Amino acid sequence: MLSMFRCTCHKSLNQLPITNRWNKAKFSTSSRSLYDHILVNRPAKGVSLVTLNRPKSLNALFTPLILELNDALQSADSDSSIGAIVITGSERAFAAGADIKEMKDKTFSEVYEQNFIRNWSEATRVKKPILAAVNGYALGGGCELAMMADIIYAGEKAVFGQPEIKLGIIPGAGGTQRLTRLIGKSRATELILTGKTLNAEQALAWGLVSAIYPPDKLVEETINTATLIASHGRLAVQAAKESINYGLQVGLEDGLLYERKLFYSLFATHDQKEGMSAFIEKRPSKFKGN
């Protein structure tokens, strides 16, 4: 959760740097201004786009931003018109880490009793698929937030890492656990114990990200994938995500049994009947999400 910069954020959209104004202008459908540290838009049918918005601090994460992010994610998760969620930052940084100013003077008893950063992992409780579009720095808490997504796409200049060791601490929002599961024990241990970073090409080769795009095309390409996912039956999409995540926590046999039960359950849905009928009749499916 290392941060490279720290500051207060802009509250006026007119004060945003060019990169964030680009995102705002290009994806301005159904914009919401309920938040101080994030932007929420509807760039395409069935897709919610959440943009981290602390430009001067390179989107350093701190509790007020996380609370807003959690609220936006829960709102999208409970909105029947949303089928997929995209989280992004600016072209300079997805999130450069956690804001060290917030935690520098905290004591052990304080963080322990308050269960500090417990709510930083709420994204993993969202049923709908989350895609992370990572441009620039995704370090410490920023890397951990990206890894909470179901799919990660990277810009060509993206930089990933868990450099908390340089601050005398370790990752606290899942870095030692998720990074190890995604890229393997040896590679994850090297990155965490040395504080080294990972460029986009290495992240792709090691399986941390699914694809790399030019920085100015990254969000658009991520939204395209989110739109495709949102076009499918919502219950089937959520069941697939649930099955994948459950399987990562248990053995193969338990995972297969859980998958089969979810598979059976989808035969009680309208979308299963519609999807199979449409296939036989050689026509597009008209899913209703039930």
Side-chain angles (χ1 to χ4, degrees), residues 6 99-106:
R6 25 191 173 327
D99 195 330
I100 304 305
K101 187 176 181 180
E102 180 183 22
M103 61 180 70
K104 179 178 68 72
D105 296 324
K106 290 186 179 295

Side-chain angles (χ1 to χ4, degrees), residues 45-47 82-84 225-234 237:
K45 183 179 180 181
V47 177
I82 296 297
T225 300
T227 303
L228 177 59
I229 292 172
S231 72
H232 298 314
R234 303 284 167 80
V237 168

Side-chain angles (χ1 to χ4, degrees), residues 10-29 31 39 41 49 51-56 59 88-93 216 219:
H10 288 302
K11 294 188 179 181
S12 169
L13 296 181
N14 293 328
Q15 295 175 296
L16 296 181
I18 292 174
T19 51
N20 268 13
R21 286 206 305 270
W22 176 86
N23 280 337
K24 175 65 179 171
K26 192 165 186 179
F27 306 115
S28 59
T29 305
S31 169
L39 305 175
N41 303 308
L49 172 65
T51 304
L52 307 183
N53 183 34
R54 297 189 73 204
K56 281 191 174 179
N59 295 326
T88 192
S90 68
E91 286 190 18
R92 291 185 65 199
D216 62 340
V219 176

